[in-house]
Amino acid sequence: MERWSPPVELSRQEQSLMKRLTRVRALFGFLRLHRHELFDETFQEQLEGMYRTTGAGEPPHPPALMCMVTLLQSYVGASDAEAVELSVVDLRWQMVLGCLGAATPPFSQGALQAFRERMVAHEMDRVLLERTVALVRSGAMTEGERRAVSKALRVAIDSRPLAGAGRVEDTINLLGHAARSIVGVVSKIMDRPPEEICRKARIPLLLAPSIKAGLDLDWSDPKQKVLAIQMLERQVSSLQQWVDRHLDDVVEQPLSPYLDAITQVRDQDLETAEDGTVRIRQGVAPDRRVSIEDAEMRHGRKSRSKRFDGYKEHIARDLDLPVIVACAVTPANRPEEEGAVPIAKDIQHQRLRLAELHIDRAYVNSPVVGDVIRAKGKVFSKPWGQRARSPDLFSKRDFNIDLRTKTITCPAGQVEAFEPGDTVEFDPEECGACPLRTKCTQAASGRGRTVSIAEDEALQSKFRELQQTAPGRAVLRQRTAVEHALAHIAARKGHSARYMGARRNLCDLRRAAAIQNLEAAHRLVQEAA
């Protein structure tokens, strides 16, 4: 396999180009000067390990070259087709790729897509990010300055919403979309026009421009809506039965994603009434599928007022060096705490130890928090609020919670025992005769005031103590570094996903994080100069 070995010394033309790369797109110049350090022999061997060594087929493009292309693509936000063109028409691309003056592209669009799939399959996007982390942490990118950085890591973790690339549809359009995709695949397999397949499979609704146009009903009439669902479900079932009769298992393989999608949508959105008719299920399934093209997209909320469809991007930012050390992508409906687990694994893979964890409250229930505390590390977060239901009532902060004796004392002096996770109810008789009752609870007669004790009440108590002092609030403000890093990620990648599926979007996030790390390394070089 050919290895990428571009020259280290600058040519006269490159020296001229470098003079122009000082303010605008300066990372091109940095990558040209340090490409041999980023893609050293060890890293190139790792990249080459993604390929078979049988000698069969066309020899691949040098893997390090293709990896550099993916970095440049992320840096300028280019599509695969545009990246191919830029390698010919943009001198900056040609300089970094070592092909100045080339009249033909050094790679093809298909080769770039195939290389990216290999990176995903072999976790090389994680290795690329780790490579940039190691370079920044060791100071290897600076000239003459070698910083000894401890393996103990102080990181902040946060997330941002990412709109999915798949089209979000309602139940009728989900079923129709899947059915239309099945007909399209069958049409290619059998070399027959789609119209013929629709007629044979008894699904004439697909002959219309859209499913709802084919149904042609008064959608404001609930009864007609029910009839629409029954008609569509009946015809989709007819299509499935026709496929089972006329296609064998081998040929049916390309249809599996769409057949599975129909089954999933039917299970989550439809139900059979007592009279045997099919209708829309009341309520929303916990893990409801929202798109046919992207099976992993989900409905999610970043806050009560902010809803989105897609994924959540999580990053961990070093608080001592300007570097993103790990990333994760989860479906939008999953809680933030799940994003911390793969991040912690990636950090551990780099042989780093979490000494301090600065997080948003949504991550507090993650098992990573317990792991850090058990390892004698520190966790910092804002505490959950203790507001009363009404501003005229006592709040939780007016009760004395003694974690050592596991007792809680109300403002009137009544004492109750508790265990973490309990909801304490004070004695109804004492509460009923208490002179402070009107200031304490609006519960019905015969009921006492209740106070919920969190499972992590001791940890929340530490967070509250921290928030009450100026030095403590200064510590909590350190988390803004990861918020700024997320803002840079959003500016670079936009707010919509480029790819389908969580894993491919994780690759895209890691590339963007690697670019930010390289820009940080560039700044270190400039500061040291």
Side-chain angles (χ1 to χ4, degrees):
M1 181 182 299
E2 181 184 359
R3 179 164 290 187
W4 191 42
S5 302
V8 176
E9 299 297 325
L10 293 172
S11 67
R12 296 186 66 178
Q13 185 180 6
E14 288 175 329
Q15 291 175 8
S16 177
L17 286 171
M18 290 293 291
K19 292 178 181 178
R20 305 192 64 86
L21 297 175
T22 56
R23 295 182 60 188
V24 179
R25 295 294 187 186
L27 191 64
F28 279 107
F30 178 78
L31 289 173
R32 168 58 186 89
L33 291 175
H34 298 279
R35 63 192 179 191
H36 62 285
E37 298 174 15
L38 179 61
F39 296 98
D40 61 8
E41 294 296 317
T42 301
F43 190 26
Q44 293 216 40
E45 286 180 7
Q46 289 178 296
L47 291 169
E48 291 165 3
M50 298 188 300
Y51 294 84
R52 295 179 301 170
T53 56
T54 60
E58 292 292 327
H61 299 285
L65 169 69
M66 299 303 295
C67 191
M68 179 63 88
V69 171
T70 64
L71 284 174
L72 295 180
Q73 180 185 26
S74 179
Y75 180 48
V76 302
S79 65
D80 290 355
E82 189 179 6
V84 174
E85 294 304 312
L86 287 171
S87 69
V88 177
V89 302
D90 194 319
L91 291 178
R92 299 169 301 181
W93 277 63
Q94 290 194 333
M95 180 181 70
V96 175
L97 298 178
C99 59
L100 270 173
T104 58
F107 60 93
S108 65
Q109 184 176 341
L112 180 55
Q113 181 181 357
F115 177 81
R116 192 167 53 245
E117 292 298 321
R118 286 182 184 273
M119 286 191 72
V120 168
H122 292 82
E123 286 287 322
M124 291 308 296
D125 52 329
R126 174 180 56 79
V127 177
L128 174 62
L129 178 59
E130 291 174 358
R131 180 72 180 158
T132 64
V133 172
L135 288 171
V136 176
R137 283 182 60 83
S138 66
M141 287 295 191
T142 63
E143 298 175 2
E145 181 183 5
R146 299 272 181 175
R147 299 181 60 181
V149 183
S150 170
K151 293 293 183 181
L153 204 61
R154 299 173 59 248
V155 303
I157 300 177
D158 203 358
S159 68
R160 77 172 187 116
L162 180 71
R167 186 170 64 196
V168 178
E169 298 172 302
D170 61 16
T171 303
I172 289 176
N173 284 322
L174 284 172
L175 290 171
H177 190 157
R180 198 178 296 276
S181 298
I182 290 173
V183 169
V185 174
V186 172
S187 173
K188 292 180 180 179
I189 292 174
M190 302 185 71
D191 195 22
R192 292 286 188 274
E195 295 78 10
E196 180 182 338
I197 304 298
C198 291
R199 286 192 293 270
K200 288 183 176 180
R202 297 180 183 179
I203 186 166
L205 282 175
L206 296 185
L207 298 174
S210 69
I211 291 295
K212 292 186 177 179
L215 291 167
D216 191 25
L217 300 173
D218 179 6
W219 295 101
S220 62
D221 185 350
K223 292 183 179 180
Q224 293 196 45
K225 281 186 179 182
V226 172
L227 292 175
I229 287 293
Q230 294 174 11
M231 184 186 304
L232 175 60
E233 203 278 334
R234 186 165 54 250
Q235 293 192 21
V236 169
S237 296
S238 174
L239 174 63
Q240 288 180 291
Q241 294 167 8
W242 186 88
V243 168
D244 289 339
R245 288 196 306 269
H246 293 84
L247 298 178
D248 57 39
D249 293 340
V250 176
V251 178
E252 200 174 309
Q253 189 62 33
L255 301 174
S256 295
Y258 304 114
L259 293 170
D260 293 343
I262 288 176
T263 301
Q264 185 178 2
V265 172
R266 184 183 283 126
D267 291 343
Q268 72 186 13
D269 289 355
L270 302 180
E271 63 181 3
T272 303
E274 294 180 357
D275 59 0
T277 59
V278 177
R279 63 188 182 189
I280 296 289
R281 186 187 304 274
Q282 294 299 312
V284 179
D287 198 36
R288 182 176 181 270
R289 181 169 181 162
V290 298
S291 174
I292 294 299
E293 294 104 333
D294 191 341
E296 298 176 62
M297 283 177 54
R298 293 294 182 268
H299 292 310
R301 288 188 180 275
K302 188 62 179 175
S303 65
R304 288 186 178 181
S305 59
K306 188 172 185 180
R307 174 184 152 174
F308 63 100
D309 301 305
Y311 301 93
K312 292 176 184 176
E313 291 185 325
H314 310 256
I315 66 169
R317 204 269 197 185
D318 193 328
L319 294 179
D320 295 315
L321 289 172
V323 61
I324 298 173
V325 294
C327 305
V329 172
T330 58
N333 66 331
R334 305 310 304 162
E336 266 82 353
E337 61 195 61
E338 292 187 9
V341 175
I343 282 179
K345 289 181 179 178
D346 284 358
I347 290 174
Q348 186 179 12
H349 191 270
Q350 299 174 57
R351 298 181 180 178
L352 301 172
R353 177 175 59 85
L354 282 172
E356 279 189 21
L357 186 61
H358 296 247
I359 52 176
D360 183 81
R361 288 177 293 205
Y363 291 94
V364 169
N365 291 329
S366 171
V368 177
V369 171
D371 293 341
V372 172
I373 293 173
R374 282 188 292 272
K376 308 301 181 184
K378 298 179 180 179
V379 178
F380 299 97
S381 172
K382 288 184 178 179
W384 291 106
Q386 292 183 310
R387 292 179 297 178
R389 295 181 180 178
S390 170
D392 299 327
L393 299 179
F394 292 135
S395 67
K396 185 177 177 178
R397 70 170 64 93
D398 295 310
F399 290 72
N400 182 25
I401 300 175
D402 191 329
L403 294 167
R404 184 178 59 83
T405 61
K406 294 184 180 179
T407 58
I408 178 171
T409 306
C410 77
Q414 186 183 167
V415 180
E416 293 285 347
F418 69 83
E419 290 293 333
D422 285 352
T423 297
V424 178
E425 182 177 3
F426 286 87
D427 188 342
E429 292 185 6
E430 291 194 35
C431 282
C434 180
L436 299 178
R437 180 180 176 85
T438 57
K439 295 182 179 180
C440 190
T441 181
Q442 295 175 335
S445 178
R447 299 293 302 272
R449 169 66 188 260
T450 59
V451 177
S452 296
I453 307 297
E455 289 277 1
D456 61 346
E457 191 67 42
L459 184 61
Q460 292 293 325
S461 179
K462 291 180 181 179
F463 293 161
R464 293 187 189 102
E465 291 176 4
L466 200 66
Q467 196 176 39
Q468 291 169 3
T469 65
R473 290 191 292 271
V475 171
L476 293 176
R477 283 195 295 271
Q478 293 182 49
R479 200 180 67 84
T480 58
V482 71
E483 296 174 349
H484 295 162
L486 276 173
H488 287 300
I489 289 285
R492 184 180 306 283
K493 293 176 72 269
H495 298 281
S496 298
R498 180 187 287 268
Y499 303 105
M500 302 284 185
R503 184 60 187 88
R504 290 186 179 90
N505 281 302
L506 174 58
C507 177
D508 194 35
L509 176 59
R510 284 170 169 166
R511 283 194 309 176
I515 289 293
Q516 287 194 201
N517 291 347
L518 290 169
E519 288 182 328
H522 186 199
R523 289 193 296 272
L524 290 175
V525 170
Q526 291 177 317
E527 292 170 3

